[in-house]
Amino acid sequence: MQALRRRRVWIVSFIFIGLMMSVSVLSLNSGAVSISPSEVWLTLTGQGSKIQNFTLLDLRLPRMIAAILIGGGLAISGAIMQGLSRNILADPGLMGVHSGAGLSIVLLMYFVFQSKTITNYNAMSIPFFAFLGAMLTAISIYMLAWRKGILPVRLILVGIGIGEGLRAAYVILSLKLNDEVYMSATVWLAGSLTGTGWSIIWSTFPWIVTLSLWAFYNYRHLDILSFGESTVASLGIRMDRARLKFLLMSVGISGACVAAGGGIGFIGLMAPHIARRLIGNTYKYVIPVSALVGALLLLICDWCARTMVPKMELPAGILVSAIGAPYFLYLLFRSK
């Protein structure tokens, strides 16, 4: 049985990797400047023209890598959140973590960088403040949800309430920004990879990868948490401490993803659910397959957002929400 499951996981993984490679080629080819696959290869090997080097190496390639990194990170963050709350509808974006990170960035823009757009900031300040905002939000949710322990339903409801309050706060605050910064903030908060450069990738890459590997290393504890409190207690694991540890992992990954790509929602909801439908509920397989599903989803949505409307780019987060909102309702109606 285990051998059959492992074989299934490998087959699913290779299919998603193949699809990601295909969409990556399309993403590098398509845009205002059309570049053929052979020209892409020549450019990547240092034989392209100046315009091809700029288009591929400074614009499309970092954006493509960011889509894979952020999509995978959001998916892993969502898988962790669903595991610790034992609820398939849990997602860092829906529980207010993205709103906390977004508010911290808007505060940074308002008080420090009024004269700049989001892509002109010091590369390290964005992930730091996003992570700080996400972490403070998570701590507030955890403290307010504590009543002689943590119930998963209370944790989700408190998170939704705080998230809506923070979202209202950063919308009000963004109205006080000057026109240029306001437009930048609005697009970024909607979830956009426009202007994502290498500096943003290198500043968020360590957070996302390190915390994701840490979560995978602790996959057995996530499996145990899904059994319920009595089973966890009988195994000698402190439920509240385990939940707090995984909550901090999820928040850290989510905060770094928001710092790099803005408020992209629903990937943390959809990707783990799709992964479970394909390979089962064991987190040893759910975490990596969720990452592949999330990376593919965001890669496709960003490519479509960049190419579907001539001479205009849509925020990728809008297309993700257009898919995610109906999917959320589908999960809501079929859940007990």
Side-chain angles (χ1 to χ4, degrees):
M1 187 67 178
Q2 285 295 326
L4 185 62
R5 174 174 288 184
R6 281 196 295 268
R7 189 182 307 162
R8 183 181 180 86
V9 170
W10 279 111
I11 292 172
V12 170
S13 299
F14 279 125
I15 289 173
F16 275 99
I17 291 171
L19 290 172
M20 283 172 54
M21 292 176 65
S22 301
V23 177
S24 296
V25 171
L26 289 173
S27 179
L28 293 176
N29 293 345
S30 308
V33 178
S34 181
I35 303 176
S36 67
S38 60
E39 291 172 331
V40 169
W41 174 252
L42 290 174
T43 304
L44 293 178
T45 54
Q47 303 174 59
S49 65
K50 183 177 291 187
I51 186 66
Q52 289 172 343
N53 286 333
F54 174 74
T55 303
L56 280 180
L57 303 181
D58 293 336
L59 297 178
R60 293 181 188 172
L61 186 61
R63 182 167 177 165
M64 182 195 75
I65 294 174
I68 295 172
L69 184 66
I70 295 168
L74 290 172
I76 292 174
S77 178
I80 296 170
M81 191 70 75
Q82 292 173 15
L84 70 91
S85 64
R86 305 203 307 275
N87 191 323
I88 63 171
L89 300 179
D91 172 66
L94 296 176
M95 291 180 62
V97 175
H98 289 186
S99 298
L103 178 60
S104 68
I105 295 298
V106 172
L107 287 170
L108 179 70
M109 297 168 76
Y110 182 77
F111 289 107
V112 182
F113 295 117
Q114 269 277 12
S115 61
K116 300 180 181 180
T117 60
I118 191 73
T119 55
N120 298 133
Y121 300 152
N122 181 287
M124 291 306 296
S125 65
I126 298 175
F128 174 77
F129 276 90
F131 180 79
L132 181 63
M135 196 61 67
L136 290 174
T137 302
I139 292 171
S140 301
I141 292 170
Y142 195 84
M143 292 176 63
L144 290 173
W146 178 274
R147 291 292 185 276
K148 297 180 180 179
I150 293 291
L151 290 177
V153 174
R154 187 188 296 130
L155 187 70
I156 293 173
L157 292 177
V158 171
I160 292 173
I162 290 180
E164 291 303 313
L166 294 175
R167 187 174 291 109
Y170 74 58
V171 168
I172 292 172
L173 188 62
S174 66
L175 295 174
K176 299 180 180 294
L177 301 171
N178 64 52
D179 292 343
E180 182 184 6
V181 180
Y182 172 76
M183 289 301 297
S184 175
T186 301
V187 172
W188 180 78
L189 290 171
S192 175
L193 301 180
T194 302
T196 303
W198 291 109
S199 59
I200 294 292
I201 292 174
W202 288 119
S203 62
T204 55
F205 179 85
W207 297 83
I208 297 173
V209 173
T210 302
L211 291 172
S212 297
L213 291 175
W214 188 24
F216 180 74
Y217 178 76
N218 289 274
Y219 74 86
R220 290 186 179 87
H221 287 179
L222 274 174
D223 286 332
I224 294 171
L225 285 178
S226 65
F227 294 140
E229 297 194 20
S230 58
T231 304
V232 174
S234 67
L235 294 172
I237 298 174
R238 294 184 60 178
M239 174 71 84
D240 296 329
R241 181 176 294 180
R243 280 197 179 127
L244 179 60
K245 178 178 71 173
F246 284 111
L247 180 63
L248 295 179
M249 286 184 202
S250 178
V251 167
I253 297 170
S254 179
C257 291
V258 171
I264 299 172
F266 290 108
I267 286 181
L269 173 75
M270 294 187 291
H273 187 263
I274 294 172
R276 289 190 189 93
R277 295 289 295 270
L278 292 173
I279 49 88
N281 295 318
T282 304
Y283 274 88
K284 179 181 180 180
Y285 306 127
V286 168
I287 289 175
V289 174
S290 294
L292 292 175
V293 175
L296 179 63
L297 282 173
L298 187 53
L299 194 60
I300 291 173
C301 287
D302 183 60
W303 172 59
C304 291
R306 189 164 55 84
T307 59
M308 67 186 300
V309 180
K311 298 181 181 180
M312 178 181 174
E313 286 192 14
L314 299 173
I318 292 178
L319 292 186
V320 175
S321 297
I323 300 170
Y327 195 83
F328 175 76
L329 293 176
Y330 161 73
L331 291 179
L332 183 65
F333 284 119
R334 73 184 297 270
S335 62
K336 297 180 181 180

